[in-house]
Amino acid sequence: MEEKLRFYKDEGNYIKCYLCRHNCSLSEGKFGVCKLRTVKNNIPIVINYGELTSANVDPIEKKPLYHFKPGKDILSVGTFGCNMSCSFCQNHEISQSKPPTEFIDIDKLISLIINIPNNAGIAFTYNEPFMWYEYIFDVAKKIKEYDKNISIVLVSNGFVNKEPLEQILPYIDAMNIDLKGFTKKYYNKICGASIEPVLETIKIASKHTHVEITTLMVNNENDSVEEIVAIAEFLANIDKNIPLHLSRYFPKYKMKNPPTLVENIMRAKEEAQKYLNYVYVGNVAGVDNNTYCPNCGYNLITRDIYSINPNIRGDKCPNCKEYINIIF
Ligand code: SF4
């Protein structure tokens, strides 16, 4: 369904969309980089309002969020389109093209959420949620009016402008933000975007909501220990309690590099742990992904892929009373 844009300026002979840092110039029939926003009959519109391509009930650990409502499930939905063009995209069928969709109005979505047992709320994921901004904003506002305890999660690339981000954050309970690498070159060459807005999003979002970070370590591209340490240092300067997920890359879409070496990931984890209290590894079988108290080493949560066994119920270590960044 079509809906009017929320973040644009009429510049006379064109419309400037300023939802994300591409700041595209739109005109009649001409789309922006995301291929979702254009001008139709002189009205700036987005074409994916309420249109779902994917809906699943996932363990919240799969987002990945390890420190937010552990053990809960979450209704996970996505639409199509993206403002990046990562050559390794795991979801390129929906991010880079327009598959069939189903329209779901907000009341139906809320009724789905409340009828799922053990459900934390809703996660906007699979494709870039900020590309669905107009719908997500309306959904989030209505959900919070209905019941503040329904959690709203964004799994995002963080490439969004400050004003739209700040307007939606009051409704968001948790975010997993991709920090895809730590060089301008990587963001330009592999992702078709720039790193600065992503760093700014992480800084702003982590002041307002629960944030975890994911870095996909791609063989021979961003998997040096130095790059991961730079990421860990950047995050530690914000808050050393921000969980970092280092995820193993496998060949996908246009990226043909072989899978990332597990030893590189484990070495990067070891080094990142010198800066951050919680570093986890994704897409590698048999690794220790438990959560330990950063003060006394007590095992707070035992994890086996997505199944968990918590020894903590609040935000204090039961052994030494250290503050732990976990929300139940
Ligand atoms: S959302 Fe971003 S990519 Fe899409 S039209 Fe607006 S500025 Fe361009």
Side-chain angles (χ1 to χ4, degrees):
M1 181 174 150
E2 294 168 357
E3 173 72 17
K4 195 172 177 194
L5 297 193
R6 306 283 160 85
F7 297 95
Y8 71 93
K9 278 188 195 131
D10 190 338
E11 301 282 1
N13 53 348
Y14 69 94
I15 297 286
K16 181 179 163 184
C17 171
Y18 66 98
L19 175 56
C20 85
R21 199 64 70 89
H22 288 306
N23 294 321
C24 298
S25 304
L26 311 177
S27 53
E28 196 72 27
K30 187 182 166 229
F31 283 76
V33 170
C34 60
K35 301 188 191 83
L36 297 167
R37 290 173 176 79
T38 187
V39 180
K40 187 174 168 185
N41 302 325
N42 292 320
I43 299 169
I45 56 152
V46 62
I47 59 169
N48 63 359
Y49 190 92
E51 301 290 344
L52 269 75
T53 59
S54 333
N56 295 289
V57 179
D58 287 336
I60 202 158
E61 281 76 15
K62 199 174 174 182
K63 299 302 99 191
L65 287 172
Y66 279 11
H67 287 231
F68 184 78
K69 308 270 171 104
K72 287 281 190 181
D73 289 330
I74 192 154
L75 176 65
S76 302
V77 296
T79 183
F80 59 93
C82 193
N83 53 355
M84 288 195 184
S85 49
C86 305
S87 29
F88 50 74
C89 184
Q90 310 293 301
N91 291 323
H92 62 93
E93 297 90 348
I94 59 168
S95 72
Q96 304 300 322
S97 49
K98 186 181 178 307
T101 58
E102 185 183 341
F103 179 79
I104 295 207
D105 72 31
I106 298 174
D107 289 333
K108 176 141 183 239
L109 201 55
I110 293 177
S111 105
L112 278 175
I113 294 167
I114 59 180
N115 284 306
I116 297 167
N118 193 40
N119 188 32
I122 185 162
F124 295 97
T125 178
Y126 303 129
N127 76 310
E128 173 50 42
F130 284 116
M131 293 300 94
W132 215 9
Y133 191 99
E134 294 78 4
Y135 181 64
I136 289 179
F137 187 91
D138 291 350
V139 169
K141 197 162 176 282
K142 197 152 186 188
I143 284 177
K144 290 302 183 186
E145 282 163 8
Y146 175 80
D147 182 352
K148 281 190 168 40
N149 295 319
I150 297 175
S151 297
I152 301 173
V153 166
L154 303 181
V155 181
S156 171
N157 64 26
F159 192 72
V160 64
N161 276 327
K162 192 174 170 203
E163 188 186 338
L165 173 68
E166 289 184 331
Q167 283 195 23
I168 204 168
L169 275 173
Y171 302 105
I172 304 303
D173 298 281
M175 289 179 77
N176 187 298
I177 304 172
D178 279 347
L179 182 49
K180 293 172 188 278
F182 209 64
T183 63
K184 290 181 179 182
K185 190 178 162 205
Y186 187 84
Y187 265 87
N188 293 339
K189 185 182 124 192
I190 308 279
C191 307
S194 55
I195 187 171
E196 293 82 4
V198 180
L199 301 181
E200 198 173 313
T201 294
I202 293 170
K203 285 183 198 160
I204 295 170
S206 53
K207 278 192 209 136
H208 292 90
T209 191
H210 176 81
V211 167
E212 303 192 19
I213 303 293
T214 298
T215 300
L216 182 74
M217 290 180 62
V218 179
N219 194 358
N220 283 329
E221 297 289 351
N222 67 347
D223 64 339
S224 70
V225 167
E226 292 73 25
E227 188 151 350
I228 303 303
V229 164
I231 287 173
E233 274 186 301
F234 165 76
L235 295 175
N237 278 331
I238 301 170
D239 182 351
K240 64 183 183 173
N241 286 316
I242 294 176
L244 172 63
H245 301 260
L246 299 174
S247 191
R248 188 184 187 203
Y249 148 90
F250 288 89
K252 190 85 183 172
Y253 192 36
K254 295 177 183 166
M255 178 69 79
K256 305 295 177 213
N257 297 12
T260 310
L261 297 174
V262 172
E263 65 205 55
N264 287 5
I265 297 171
M266 299 316 290
R267 208 154 57 86
K269 177 188 177 185
E270 208 179 302
E271 291 301 315
Q273 278 174 325
K274 293 177 183 168
Y275 301 87
L276 294 169
N277 283 336
Y278 311 102
V279 183
Y280 303 102
V281 166
N283 289 344
V284 178
V287 292
D288 180 348
N289 262 339
N290 298 343
T291 299
Y292 297 99
C293 172
N295 184 48
C296 71
Y298 184 77
N299 184 353
L300 301 167
I301 298 181
T302 304
R303 266 185 209 90
D304 183 8
I305 312 182
Y306 301 133
S307 125
I308 65 145
N309 187 9
N311 300 311
I312 177 173
R313 281 286 162 210
D315 62 4
K316 298 265 183 306
C317 170
N319 189 47
C320 72
K321 310 298 175 220
E322 173 82 358
Y323 165 74
I324 306 295
N325 176 26
I326 289 186
I327 298 168
F328 278 91

